[in-house]
Amino acid sequence: MNKYRNISKAFLVFCLFSLLSTGSFAQNKATWIWYPGDFEIWLSNDMQNRRTERGTFFPPFWRQDSHYVLIDFHKVFDLKEAEEVEIRAEGQYNVKLDGKMISGYPKKITIPAGKHKLNLKVHNQQKVPSIYVKGKTVVSDSSWLVTFEDKEWIDETGKASDQSGTTWLQAGSWNFDDSALPPSTFKLNTRPQYAVSSKRTGNNLLIDFGKETFGFVKLHGLKGKGKANLYYGESKEEALATETCETMDNLDINKSVAGDSLINLSKAFRFVNIQLDQGVSIDSASMLYEYLPVADRGKFRSSDAQLNKIWDISKYTMELTTREFFIDGIKRDRWIWSGDAYQSYLMNYYLAFDSRSVTRTTLALRGKEPVSSHINTIMDYTFYWFLGVHDYYKYTGDKEFVTQLYPRMKSLIDYCLSRRNANGMMEGLAGDWVFIDWAEKLSKQGEVSFEQLLFCRSLETMALCADLADDASGAANYRKMAADLKTKIFDAYWSDEKKALVHSRVNGVQSDNVTRYANMFGIFFDYFNEEQKQQVKQSVLLNDKVQKIVTPYMRFYELEALCAMGEQDYVLKEIKDYWGGMLDLGATSFWEEYNPDKKGAEHYAMYGREFGKSLCHAWGASPIYLMGKYYLGVQPLTAGYETYSIQPVLGGLKWMEGSVPTPGGDIKIYCSTNEIKVNSPVGTGVLKIKSRTKPVCKNAAVVSKGNGLYEITLKKGQDYKIAYKL
């Protein structure tokens, strides 16, 4: 195990220099390649089936797919001179040059000068069929074409497309650039980490690592014969609760000579309670911290020390939950949930901008044909998957990934369309989980307005992606369906009396209940007119009589809606109160749920279990996104930041500064009550400033837009310094 971790470090460190590329871009050097999505599915199966609860295997409860076991790879090369080419494959393979089989399992071949077609066919039942080809100019990269069918008779220009996918697709890859390190050797990186304190009581040891962490416990000087029981806790209370803690290890020890022993499965914990039989002893314990190395790009600092700490803990929460994929929580579930992942994507765009983690997670969630259920079995999570594709294109501009994914999007949206009721609405059917949020007394019956809004945005996403894929008729159809559904939404759910969208409609009858969910999404989806926005803000978002939200998951969207309405002063107070409340209780990462009304150990309970709550949950890190988009104020206007806007809002801060990553580099901003500094290495931007007097900028024109709003056009690579009065 250690050998593979050390090996994997070399190629993962390289990822730091390639974070902005995606699997759809040719890399111009040799790398291992596979059928797109297959490695992602194989790796997600491996990761998600590591979950245990109190030593018991606990797999996901949705369908898990497998990779295609036989793959054909090919590419046409036009060589100026003959070239010797190295060949490696994971699995049994054959090699053809210009359609003629080369005998045996050749490790090297010579390709003559001229135009030639190289084919490799690989079979592997246990691992993902993959190849590595390296010559002077002949290299395996994502420009190769692959298929799981017998389609050698179709040349590289003959890409047939239907509901099951494209016959020939561009190969998948992820910087596995060493011929000796195929994809199946992948492991996350590790580094030593040591306890901040330990307390020995008799033959037992309580270890405190000082903060939430994730990795492999290492027992030093382990000796003797008998049992060693390890009880893990995100809190001290959990580690000491040997009968109810969520995770544990029971080891049989038989070591006559003292030595070190590494637990073979990584776990989440802060505290470890080690209980030893009388015949067993250890000197001490440490750990190997397990992590995915990604760039540290997004930054934020301000005049508020508590807010700075909230940013830091949000960043650490994202570090812990950004693993092989974006997962929900590191204690449980350690699975890929689409709703959780969607928020991680958004936070990632303002932190690491690791596009590969987004595409890996997107492919793993989508799985294979045919579609037989909603993603994670949850209706809303299917819609979040579509929204994730929409935002991926907006932030990265990666058209090739989206167009290659488009056939899988079509089959998934067709599944959704087939499950509409007679009113053309989405309603939970047998096997569907309508989740929305963890909230008491939240009705999921009938046609829930929140689900219709997500469905409508999914149809809009399909129209956008159909345009990118040159599917004009599809784009027109999806656009019409979205427009028709939006009209139905307001006809069915808008209440002039309540000045809001009501929560649901059951048997065609509008309910009286108003919840926050559809109303806050309607604001940042821009589905309301200006009058409706103001009505919703007062009647719902700022109305304490409407059921409050107690999960960071939906607080994310609630606060985004308020920021979109210009309520940054109010939101800043809410962030400091809500996330600051967790810090006041000693949080070192942010939680799955936080209800300020709970006391003491009540905070650790969830799902009817004493320690069921995750104290490190990806959706708890949303201040990263809010600070980047709505305070530093940076967001793309067109795909990949070709054009973008910056509208910094202090929200009561005296000053703030930070960096927002983009595909072409990091936008840097400083803002105080009288000065703004900006530098951007990408695109063309517009800086929007509210000022009591006309701002002054020596190297750019300041244009008044009325009502104290001014705009400055930003050019790539220039430093701007603006004097203004807030």
Side-chain angles (χ1 to χ4, degrees), residues 1 12 24 64 71 114 117 160 216 219 241 287 345 375 390 503 572 649 688 720:
M1 182 177 285
L12 276 174
S24 60
Q64 291 194 293
I71 298 296
K117 182 177 181 179
F216 304 85
L219 305 177
M287 68 173 294
Y345 302 156
I375 291 177
H390 177 280
H503 179 72
L572 186 65
V649 180
K688 300 180 180 182
Y720 295 91

Side-chain angles (χ1 to χ4, degrees), residues 314-332:
S314 297
K315 174 183 165 185
Y316 183 58
T317 302
M318 275 295 290
E319 176 185 318
L320 288 168
T321 56
T322 303
R323 312 194 64 72
E324 295 95 334
F325 305 90
F326 289 119
I327 63 171
D328 59 337
I330 58 175
K331 179 174 75 173
R332 49 133 292 270

Side-chain angles (χ1 to χ4, degrees), residues 347-386:
M347 292 179 274
N348 167 69
Y349 297 133
Y350 288 91
L351 188 60
F353 209 98
D354 182 20
S355 299
R356 289 296 183 89
S357 287
V358 178
T359 56
R360 280 197 312 278
T361 306
T362 300
L363 289 166
L365 282 166
R366 175 58 185 84
K368 298 283 193 182
E369 305 293 351
V371 181
S372 59
S373 69
H374 283 296
I375 291 177
N376 306 127
T377 74
I378 301 177
M379 184 191 295
D380 18 322
Y381 279 28
T382 294
F383 301 141
Y384 284 127
W385 185 86
F386 286 109

Side-chain angles (χ1 to χ4, degrees), residues 210 234-237 270-271 306 309-310 313 576-591 593-604 613 615:
E234 293 185 302
S235 63
K236 183 177 180 180
E237 290 90 339
R270 172 178 170 174
F271 296 88
Q306 185 190 44
K309 188 173 181 181
I310 289 170
I313 299 301
K576 286 169 58 62
D577 182 56
Y578 190 77
W579 278 265
M582 285 185 266
L583 294 183
D584 291 342
L585 292 172
T588 60
S589 58
F590 287 129
W591 304 349
E593 182 259 7
Y594 169 59
N595 185 341
D597 295 333
K598 293 182 179 179
K599 305 295 181 184
E602 291 178 355
H603 285 291
Y604 307 140
K613 185 183 299 179
L615 300 190

